[in-house]
């Protein structure tokens, strides 16, 4: 497809997302807003297959994976009890964060040593925050689903361990940026997953919605960062909107 | 695209995001968050891009996994938000 037309339709999808969030902030327009968001997402997903850069490789696999995702996601969302919705949202947020982290890792493997420093930094950011969002959301889900204690889990020297993990995450992030290797990146992913768990464990039941909101914003920002690496404007727009809206 | 163009888009989108949600009523916090959650499922586009140009089997496996996860996030997110809002509508009617 013509690149200009492609970008134009992509922009339309971006506008859909802005209007979706705007609609969702008013009771009367909320449902329409959600529908608009879904339309924008559908446009964007169909559109990417028509990109001039799309080589139509692995197409059956990709379509199969999407079909599988729909088969899992829709029944889960339809059948869930009203009271269990928050944990489902947490879970969806977690898998989104996980997806963003995976996209960043694959792009990192793909770019190899050709990546510019800015791209490496954006990738590292996505992997770290995506992994935190993933493991943090899983813990949140387990807490809300009462599969584990809803009370704050506080262990001796907990603060010290959390701080040490964060320092390790930052240290290894610096190592990846400086040394560019796959092993450091995987270590970084592991540490970030650990940090996500430690970060949410001390949170009590009443504060969990705030954590979901925060992790949601985190995932948004990771999507924006991976949009930077992939040079996909729409990902930047959508991701940033979510990141900024997490501040409410 | 040039880095500065991408960064400009990012900065402008931050302001749009703040503005758009700044006047949300407190009852709509949860659906709005859920809707925003569905929107970041747009990482599906990124997952499709990387799956399309995957060179090695490892890249392919990871990116296909990303496609599955992102689809669950996006589709499930929109459906669950719609159900939440349906519930709100029901409550209002009862109130009247």
């Amino acid at each position: 497809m013509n690149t200009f037309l492609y970008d134009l339709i992509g922009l339309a999808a971006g506008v859909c997302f802005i209007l979706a969030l705007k609609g969702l902030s008013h009771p009367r327009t909320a449902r329409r807003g959600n529908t608009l968001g879904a339309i924008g997402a559908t446009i964007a997903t169909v559109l990417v297959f028509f990109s001039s850069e799309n080589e139509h490789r692995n197409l059956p696999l990709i379509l199969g994976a999407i079909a599988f995702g729909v088969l899992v996601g829709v029944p889960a969302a339809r059948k869930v009890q009203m009271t269990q919705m928050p944990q489902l949202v947490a879970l969806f947020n977690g898998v989104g964060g996980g997806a963003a982290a995976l996209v960043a890792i694959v792009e990192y493997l793909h770019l190899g040593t050709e990546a510019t420093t800015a791209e490496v930094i954006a990738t590292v950011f996505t992997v770290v925050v995506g992994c935190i969002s993933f493991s943090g959301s899983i813990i949140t889900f387990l807490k809300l689903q009462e599969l584990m204690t809803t009370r704050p889990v506080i262990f001796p020297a907990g603060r010290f361990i959390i701080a040490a993990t964060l320092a390790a995450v930052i240290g290894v992030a610096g190592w990846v940026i400086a040394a560019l290797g796959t092993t450091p990146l995987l270590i970084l992913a592991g540490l970030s997953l650990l940090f996500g768990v430690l970060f949410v464990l001390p949170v009590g039941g009443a504060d969990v919605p705030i954590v979901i909101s925060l992790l949601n914003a985190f995932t948004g920002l990771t999507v924006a960062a991976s949009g930077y690496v992939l040079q996909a404007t729409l990902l930047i727009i959508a991701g940033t909107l979510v990141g900024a809206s997490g501040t409410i | 695209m040039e880095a500065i163009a991408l960064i400009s888009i990012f900065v402008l989108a931050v302001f749009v995001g703040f503005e758009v949600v700044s006047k949300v009523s407190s009852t709509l916090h949860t659906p709005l968050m859920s809707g925003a959650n569905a929107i970041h499922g747009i990482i599906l586009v990124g997952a499709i891009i990387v799956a399309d140009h995957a060179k090695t089997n490892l890249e392919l496996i990871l990116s296909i996994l990303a496609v599955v996860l992102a689809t669950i996030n996006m589709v499930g997110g929109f459906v669950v938000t719609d159900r939440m809002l349906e519930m709100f509508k029901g409550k209002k009617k009862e109130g009247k």
Side-chain angles (χ1 to χ4, degrees):
Chain A
M1 194 193 278
N2 179 322
T3 320
F4 180 72
L5 187 63
Y6 177 82
D7 287 342
L8 209 58
I9 301 176
L11 181 63
V15 171
C16 279
F17 291 142
I18 296 173
L19 293 176
L21 284 179
K22 183 141 189 68
L24 279 167
S25 9
H26 299 283
R28 214 182 308 150
T29 52
R31 256 192 123 173
R32 203 190 313 152
N34 187 50
T35 314
L36 255 177
I39 292 171
T42 313
I43 294 175
T45 310
V46 174
L47 185 68
V48 68
F49 289 105
F50 293 97
S51 160
S52 52
E53 282 165 32
N54 195 304
E55 295 157 24
H56 300 291
R57 281 194 287 150
N58 314 322
L59 191 60
L61 257 177
I62 295 173
L63 292 177
I66 293 177
F68 181 71
V70 172
L71 283 178
V72 175
V74 173
R78 281 214 177 286
K79 284 185 191 144
V80 68
Q81 304 267 314
M82 293 294 174
T83 49
Q84 291 176 333
M85 276 182 184
Q87 47 263 54
L88 191 69
V89 173
L91 195 62
F92 284 155
N93 178 50
V95 295
L102 283 173
V103 168
I105 292 174
V106 174
E107 188 63 12
Y108 184 82
L109 295 174
H110 188 79
L111 283 172
T113 48
E114 289 169 30
T116 64
T117 313
E119 282 169 344
V120 175
I121 292 174
T123 307
V124 164
F125 175 80
T126 311
V127 171
V128 170
V129 184
C131 286
I132 292 175
S133 186
F134 176 71
S135 62
S137 298
I138 299 296
I139 297 295
T140 317
F141 169 76
L142 293 177
K143 276 183 186 255
L144 287 169
Q145 194 68 29
E146 291 176 356
L147 290 172
M148 61 178 283
T149 172
T150 50
R151 269 180 290 161
V153 179
I154 295 167
F155 35 92
R159 285 189 175 183
F160 176 73
I161 295 172
I162 292 176
T165 316
L166 181 62
V169 168
I170 295 170
V172 178
W175 181 26
V176 177
I177 294 169
L180 293 178
T182 311
T183 321
L185 191 73
L186 294 179
I187 296 175
L188 182 63
L191 277 172
S192 307
L193 288 172
L194 178 66
F195 180 72
V197 173
L198 293 174
F199 173 68
V200 180
L201 275 180
V203 176
D207 294 330
V208 164
I210 301 167
V211 173
I212 302 180
S213 190
L214 181 71
L215 292 175
N216 195 25
F218 274 9
T219 312
L221 290 177
T222 62
V223 172
S226 58
Y228 180 81
V229 179
L230 295 168
Q231 306 222 325
T233 325
L234 187 60
L235 290 190
I236 300 185
I237 298 177
T240 313
L241 283 175
V242 177
S245 67
T247 54
I248 51 169
Chain B
M1 204 183 290
E2 274 186 63
I4 187 67
L6 297 172
I7 293 170
S8 308
I9 291 168
F10 170 74
V11 173
L12 294 176
V14 171
F15 284 98
V16 174
F18 273 120
E19 276 306 309
V20 162
V21 299
S22 57
K23 287 165 223 139
V24 61
S25 54
S26 59
T27 47
L28 280 172
H29 266 181
T30 313
L32 179 65
M33 187 182 71
S34 180
N37 174 49
I39 289 176
H40 71 51
I42 195 67
I43 188 63
L44 175 58
V45 169
I48 293 171
I49 294 174
V50 292
D52 180 62
H53 66 205
K55 277 182 199 148
T56 63
N57 278 338
L58 178 64
E59 286 177 23
L60 186 62
I61 292 168
L62 291 179
S63 53
I64 289 297
L65 185 60
V67 171
V68 172
L69 294 181
T71 312
I72 295 175
N73 183 189
M74 184 199 278
V75 179
F78 282 119
V79 173
V80 89
T81 311
D82 195 58
R83 277 194 59 197
M84 268 182 210
L85 294 169
E86 201 173 348
M87 184 171 65
F88 273 91
K89 210 173 90 187
K91 264 187 192 165
K92 253 189 203 160
K93 271 185 187 160
E94 280 163 31
K96 278 175 192 172

